[in-house]
């Protein structure tokens, strides 16, 4: 089922994201982490995509395994990086056969450690991928007559490659116009950035659901990794101050990070967020604590089977 259909019936949504394992053994461990979170019955789980092809088959296999052996609704990421049209079409056909309902269409990160020439990619920007998936949808190959639901990324703090915020919003509006049904944001730590982004979307006549991306900090090393992966995330001074007070106590760092994320979620829910997407870093403990503390009733298995 399309995410937008789910949101019409159940809003706000709650979802989890996992990044692809690098080995079959790691894939098995991750699968069990996902099964641990299955009892929370999220509205969907997303699986990211390795740049340059290093983990792509593991991603495809994991997505299909989730689809066929759990009650969860997996949404795979699909990126422009190192792909031609034939490869993307083959992946779409594979997911169609497994009745995957939604895809996140992303530009993708530049692969590391390999000789990469972006000019060789068939899809230079995420909008090109959105258009291609929409064209595939129109072929009628998918069991849902509308084809795949298409999600794209949003950047509350600004896209790192587009300093001009007006131009950035033009690009986002173009992706929605090309066929995107919903937006999942990059992680952020100041909710004011999200509310400003949501309002600018409305002013730009972008009216698709916007799901907020939240990542609880669980370690000082994780904080530094987040800053690198997110292209320079802004960390509020009050968060940094709290972390500095306990930086030599890993357990207290984790508690501070989880508490901060929990406060963010409460505030988002109070301000009518369409959904919250947890970047789990492939661990279930912090997400469990936040989810339990939000007091969200568990969805019934019967509901999940209709999703």
């Amino acid at each position: 089922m399309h995410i937008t259909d789910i949101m019409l019936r159940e809003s706000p949504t709650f979802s989890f994201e996992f990044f692809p394992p690098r080995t079959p053994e790691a894939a098995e461990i991750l699968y069990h982490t996902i099964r641990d979170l299955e009892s929370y019955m999220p509205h969907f789980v997303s699986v990211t995509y390795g740049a340059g092809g290093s983990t792509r088959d593991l991603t495809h296999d994991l997505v299909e395994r989730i689809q066929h052996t759990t009650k969860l609704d997996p949404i795979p990421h699909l990126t422009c990086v190192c792909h031609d049209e034939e490869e993307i079409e083959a992946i779409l056909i594979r997911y169609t056969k497994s009745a995957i309902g939604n895809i996140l269409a992303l530009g993708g990160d530049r692969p590391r450690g390999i000789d990469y020439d972006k000019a060789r990619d068939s899809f230079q920007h995420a909008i090109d991928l959105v258009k291609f998936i929409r064209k595939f949808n129109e072929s009628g190959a998918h069991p849902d007559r509308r084809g795949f639901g298409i999600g794209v990324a949003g950047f509350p703090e600004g896209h790192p490659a587009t300093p001009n915020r007006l131009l950035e919003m033009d690009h986002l509006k173009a992706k929605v116009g090309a066929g995107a049904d919903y937006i999942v944001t990059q992680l952020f730590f100041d909710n004011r950035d999200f509310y400003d982004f949501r309002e600018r979307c409305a002013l730009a006549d972008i009216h698709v659901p916007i799901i907020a991306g939240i990542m609880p900090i669980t370690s000082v090393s994780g904080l530094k990794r987040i800053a690198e992966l997110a292209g320079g995330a802004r960390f509020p001074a009050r968060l940094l101050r709290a972390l500095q007070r306990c930086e030599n106590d890993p357990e207290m760092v984790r508690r501070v990070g989880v508490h901060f994320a929990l406060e963010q979620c409460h505030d988002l829910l109070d301000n009518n967020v369409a959904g919250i997407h947890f970047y789990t870093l492939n661990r279930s403990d912090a997400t469990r604590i936040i989810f339990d503390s939000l007091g969200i009733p568990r969805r019934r298995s019967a509901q999940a089977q209709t999703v």
Side-chain angles (χ1 to χ4, degrees), residues 200-247:
R200 285 186 293 111
C201 283
L203 291 170
D205 202 27
I206 298 171
H207 300 295
V208 297
I210 303 173
I211 299 171
I214 296 294
M215 179 182 285
I217 293 169
T218 55
S219 67
V220 173
S221 61
L223 175 77
K224 295 176 181 177
R225 183 166 178 250
I226 290 168
E228 181 179 353
L229 291 177
R234 284 201 292 272
F235 301 100
R238 67 186 184 92
L239 171 61
L240 295 176
R241 190 181 304 115
L243 291 170
Q244 284 179 357
R245 283 198 293 262
C246 59
E247 60 184 340

Side-chain angles (χ1 to χ4, degrees), residues 2 100-102 133 136-138 141-149:
H2 283 213
I100 301 298
N102 300 273
I133 298 171
F136 179 88
N137 286 347
E138 292 169 353
H142 197 280
D144 186 318
R145 59 180 177 78
R146 297 167 298 176
F148 292 103

Side-chain angles (χ1 to χ4, degrees), residues 90-123:
I91 294 168
L92 294 177
I93 291 171
R94 177 175 179 176
Y95 285 149
T96 291
K97 290 178 179 177
S98 289
I100 301 298
N102 300 273
I103 282 178
L104 267 170
L106 309 169
D109 298 323
R110 186 182 185 89
R112 299 179 182 180
I114 67 171
D115 185 22
Y116 172 63
D117 181 3
K118 182 176 175 60
R120 296 177 184 173
D121 291 339
S122 294
F123 309 96

Side-chain angles (χ1 to χ4, degrees), residues 62-82:
L62 180 61
V63 167
E64 290 179 321
R65 189 176 181 187
I66 293 170
Q67 174 77 344
H68 297 308
T69 67
T70 76
K71 296 178 178 130
L72 301 174
D73 186 10
I75 298 184
H77 289 205
L78 207 53
T79 71
C80 300
V81 176
C82 298

Side-chain angles (χ1 to χ4, degrees), residues 18-201:
F18 304 96
F19 57 83
R22 297 186 179 278
T23 66
E25 293 76 18
E28 192 67 27
I29 293 171
L30 174 55
Y31 177 73
H32 287 292
T33 296
I34 293 171
R35 291 303 300 260
D36 287 342
L37 289 169
E38 186 178 5
S39 64
Y40 287 82
M41 297 312 305
H43 293 85
F44 66 89
V45 296
S46 70
V47 182
T48 66
Y49 206 49
S54 58
T55 63
R56 286 177 171 174
D57 284 339
L58 289 172
T59 295
H60 301 323
D61 292 343
L62 180 61
V63 167
E64 290 179 321
R65 189 176 181 187
I66 293 170
Q67 174 77 344
H68 297 308
T69 67
T70 76
K71 296 178 178 130
L72 301 174
D73 186 10
I75 298 184
H77 289 205
L78 207 53
T79 71
C80 300
V81 176
C82 298
H83 267 317
D84 59 33
E85 291 188 358
E86 288 184 359
E87 291 170 333
I88 292 293
E89 184 175 22
I91 294 168
L92 294 177
I93 291 171
R94 177 175 179 176
Y95 285 149
T96 291
K97 290 178 179 177
S98 289
I100 301 298
N102 300 273
I103 282 178
L104 267 170
L106 309 169
D109 298 323
R110 186 182 185 89
R112 299 179 182 180
I114 67 171
D115 185 22
Y116 172 63
D117 181 3
K118 182 176 175 60
R120 296 177 184 173
D121 291 339
S122 294
F123 309 96
Q124 290 296 298
H125 303 285
I127 188 173
D128 302 317
L129 190 54
V130 170
K131 289 177 179 177
F132 188 83
I133 298 171
R134 184 174 183 178
K135 184 178 178 182
F136 179 88
N137 286 347
E138 292 169 353
S139 73
H142 197 280
D144 186 318
R145 59 180 177 78
R146 297 167 298 176
F148 292 103
I150 306 172
V152 294
F155 297 83
E157 296 180 358
H159 195 295
T162 313
N164 184 331
R165 302 300 297 276
L166 297 177
L167 183 60
E168 175 198 2
M169 198 55 59
D170 288 342
H171 290 165
L172 181 59
K173 184 175 182 178
K175 286 192 288 187
V176 172
D181 303 298
Y182 61 100
I183 297 167
V184 181
T185 77
Q186 178 62 277
L187 60 92
F188 58 90
F189 295 95
D190 189 331
N191 285 5
R192 290 175 298 182
D193 287 322
F194 175 79
Y195 300 139
D196 179 74
F197 172 75
R198 189 170 64 177
E199 187 173 356
R200 285 186 293 111
C201 283

